[in-house]
Amino acid sequence: MELVTRDFFLFLSKNNVMNRMAKNWGIGFVRGKMIGGNNFNESLVYIKKLNDQGMTATVDHLGEFVGSSEVARERAEEVIHTIETIARENVNAQVSLKMTSLGLDIDEKLVRENMTRILETAEKHQIMVTIDMEDEARCQKTLDIFKEFRLRYSNVSTVIQAYLYRSESDLDELNPLRPFLRLVKGAYKESPKVAFPDKSDVDQNYKTLIRKQLLSGNYTAIATHDDHMIAYAKQLAKDNQIPASQFEFQMLYGMRNATQQALVKDGYNVRVYVPYGDDWYGYFMRRLAERPANIAFAFKGMTKK
Ligand SMILES: Cc1cc2nc3c(=O)[nH]c(=O)nc-3n(C[C@H](O)[C@H](O)[C@H](O)COP(=O)(O)OP(=O)(O)OC[C@H]3O[C@@H](n4cnc5c(N)ncnc54)[C@H](O)[C@@H]3O)c2cc1C
């Protein structure tokens, strides 16, 4: 049953018509709960609150279906504007972005131009830019772009997904670049040809990746809401004298707030992923796919006056 629900919401997440309807409908019921706001300025109040609670943020301008070079350039400008606002407002935040939003499906040269402009600005302000990982079909291209930019910039990072068979060897290949990496289980619907179909295998591989990345001495973002994975990482760090400064836990905005605060209290670094923008539909559907309990939350919000 859970699998059916997951597949259904992942299917919906790619629906263009629903995406347009959601944009018209507005962000009302998820603002300040799962999404920062329609724009970065609206999100600042929530980010400052996180900072006050001892947490940092990474912000993502939501946008799933970028169909023209003009829109991809506008997206890049938005990221640059966000980086400049982070610096001006002196909030403790980084940015996350998707290669498709910068034009990956249109023209790879365009992505490289957009990334160069973004990373130049981010470097000036010493702000990390993390390239989110999308579906498997785009994984190789995304890693190629990451590797290329990592050679030129220290403030770029990317994501490795535990559900992909390829991820352990990707980690090995990236290791000489001493990369900052965010480790996740993976959020897209993938074929068993490329991804572990069983959750237990994904969990096992997630542990393998955490171990490998932490023991290699590279900075590691452990992005999960799963208590077992959090406990595993803590124990591993303890057993191997890995300092808390070499890793951070990351969680999505609005998820497991009490756990986020408990980790801070125990002296761990916690970064919260704060998405913003009117293109919230695909992100929201993937969260419903992950956790059916979010469905109840959503309906409560929709019907609440
Ligand atoms: C900061 C961040 C960035 C991410 N970036 C990417 C990316 O670039 N690419 C990508 O593919 N995916 C990304 N993801 C999503 C990720 O791949 C997973 O789909 C998502 O995090 C769900 O997996 P999980 O590890 O949290 O645990 P799951 O396996 O979904 O859940 C395990 C257990 O954790 C607990 N749990 C999970 N969610 C909740 C909740 N909301 N409230 C209470 N308990 C909960 C439950 O006990 C559950 O049984 C990101 C996730 C985070 C946190």
Side-chain angles (χ1 to χ4, degrees):
M1 177 62 191
E2 203 169 291
L3 199 63
V4 176
T5 321
R6 183 172 185 271
D7 285 357
F8 175 64
F9 283 109
L10 287 177
F11 167 76
L12 285 184
S13 75
K14 294 193 166 172
N15 189 297
N16 268 316
V17 177
M18 295 279 284
N19 187 42
R20 275 199 298 277
M21 278 168 62
K23 261 191 197 172
N24 291 336
W25 193 16
I27 201 170
F29 75 96
V30 279
R31 188 206 321 260
K33 295 193 178 76
M34 286 170 86
I35 312 281
N38 275 310
N39 52 53
F40 182 61
N41 281 351
E42 276 182 21
S43 314
L44 270 172
V45 56
Y46 305 112
I47 295 167
K48 285 180 180 167
K49 208 167 156 193
L50 290 170
N51 285 175
D52 289 345
Q53 292 171 335
M55 291 179 254
T56 55
T58 182
V59 297
D60 170 38
H61 182 219
L62 295 167
E64 306 268 328
F65 305 101
V66 171
S68 73
S69 315
E70 288 69 37
V71 176
R73 282 198 191 91
E74 278 169 28
R75 297 270 178 190
E77 284 314 311
E78 169 64 28
V79 177
I80 290 168
H81 172 74
T82 297
I83 292 169
E84 284 168 345
T85 311
I86 289 172
R88 194 177 57 245
E89 293 283 330
N90 201 19
V91 285
N92 197 336
Q94 306 179 341
V95 294
S96 292
L97 47 76
K98 292 186 173 51
M99 289 293 90
T100 51
S101 78
L102 299 186
L104 187 68
D105 295 346
I106 304 165
D107 174 7
E108 283 188 43
K109 195 165 152 261
L110 174 70
V111 178
R112 287 176 167 82
E113 282 167 19
N114 284 335
M115 270 304 272
T116 304
R117 292 210 319 282
I118 290 169
L119 286 172
E120 284 296 318
T121 312
E123 188 176 54
K124 203 165 76 196
H125 297 295
Q126 296 183 330
I127 289 174
M128 178 67 80
V129 175
T130 299
I131 304 174
D132 284 351
M133 191 55 75
E134 301 177 71
D135 53 348
E136 195 274 340
R138 296 175 175 96
C139 179
Q140 188 60 52
K141 280 184 186 174
T142 305
L143 288 181
D144 289 345
I145 293 169
F146 167 71
K147 282 186 243 172
E148 192 182 311
F149 280 95
R150 177 72 182 110
L151 291 170
R152 287 159 51 197
Y153 298 93
S154 57
N155 60 317
V156 62
S157 130
T158 193
V159 178
I160 294 288
Q161 299 156 318
Y163 64 13
L164 296 184
Y165 302 134
R166 58 176 291 164
S167 289
E168 196 180 345
S169 66
D170 284 338
L171 211 60
D172 291 338
E173 208 183 306
L174 293 176
N175 191 42
L177 293 170
R178 314 302 297 165
F180 278 37
L181 290 176
R182 176 197 299 156
L183 305 178
V184 301
K185 290 190 190 175
Y188 296 81
K189 177 160 173 51
E190 299 293 359
S191 145
K193 288 191 184 130
V194 298
F196 295 105
D198 289 340
K199 188 169 160 34
S200 57
D201 292 328
V202 178
D203 287 352
Q204 192 48 50
N205 199 37
Y206 195 53
K207 288 183 181 169
T208 304
L209 299 178
I210 293 174
R211 165 173 279 276
K212 219 171 195 168
Q213 175 72 359
L214 273 179
L215 294 187
S216 68
N218 297 326
Y219 193 83
T220 310
I222 300 143
T224 184
H225 310 101
D226 188 338
D227 285 332
H228 294 106
M229 302 302 143
I230 295 169
Y232 176 79
K234 282 180 177 174
Q235 192 60 46
L236 187 76
K238 201 169 157 209
D239 292 347
N240 294 279
Q241 287 92 42
I242 294 166
S245 58
Q246 197 202 306
F247 63 99
E248 65 188 37
F249 291 105
Q250 292 190 355
M251 292 189 200
L252 301 176
Y253 184 58
M255 315 244 160
R256 310 223 61 190
N257 298 341
T259 306
Q260 294 172 14
Q261 285 167 23
L263 285 167
V264 172
K265 199 162 156 271
D266 289 345
Y268 294 102
N269 296 315
V270 177
R271 186 176 303 280
V272 178
Y273 187 103
V274 182
Y276 72 90
D278 62 358
D279 210 349
W280 53 275
Y281 171 78
Y283 173 86
F284 184 56
M285 286 296 142
R286 282 198 296 281
R287 301 297 78 82
L288 293 188
E290 272 158 21
R291 188 168 155 78
N294 286 341
I295 300 168
F297 157 78
F299 279 113
K300 220 163 98 193
M302 280 178 208
T303 51
K304 204 170 149 197
K305 295 275 176 241

